[in-house]
Amino acid sequence: GDPRISAVIFTGSLPVARQIHRVIASHPGNVVLVAETGGMNAMVVDSSAHLEQVVQDVISSAFDSAGQRCSALRILCVQEEIAERLLEMLKKAMLELAVGDPGKIDVDIGPVISGEARKRLQTHVDAFAARQRLYFKMPTPPNAGDGHFVLPTVLEIDAPGDLSEEVFGPVLHVLRFSRRNLGNLIDAINAGGFGLTFGIQSRIEETIGFASSRIKA
């Protein structure tokens, strides 16, 4: 609100960005606002993909930095024919992750930013578990130590619309899709309005081109 302000560059939640926008709307000057408010970021994996590469990329995108990046993977869309095989490989890879003090070179996953963030994430996971939609949660390691830890978790959803807001932590949502419904799936991802990043894992040029041209990210 200060009259000397000429530009605001903000990274954070959508509600706070809207609050800043309201303040700027009544500002006496012509203020520029650039706001990055997170993403319900999806990756589409078809049956031609290299599954070992997919697992490596999913681990890195969904769980590095304890999932606390606006660009992190939130929704993994897997063609139904390969879903079980891929998820079993992902589960085994998750069991190899080390949780603890991120200042140590051999630690993969650190804590989330606060106790409030941990509580919010745990409430989300518990709600899915109550509906039998918890696919896998990494077991608590004996040497994690004290901290606001949220263990890497995989939940199952039926459609992108099952998520109404970004889940900012090491929680991945898996969706199985039929190849013939790829267009509808991408439209559903677009409808969420949170398209910051997008991934496509395929060895079929037509699929890559179709997804890349249709996605709004």
Side-chain angles (χ1 to χ4, degrees), residues 93-99 109 136-141 151-154:
M94 290 170 66
L95 289 170
E96 298 299 316
L97 296 173
V99 175
I109 311 292
F136 179 69
K137 182 177 182 180
M138 183 180 167
T140 304
L151 296 168
T153 302
V154 178

Side-chain angles (χ1 to χ4, degrees), residues 102-131:
K104 297 179 180 178
I105 194 68
D106 58 344
V107 168
D108 302 298
I109 311 292
V112 295
I113 194 67
S114 67
E116 181 183 351
R118 182 187 181 280
K119 182 179 179 181
R120 186 165 54 248
L121 289 162
Q122 193 59 56
T123 297
H124 178 76
V125 172
D126 290 346
F128 272 73
R131 304 197 306 269

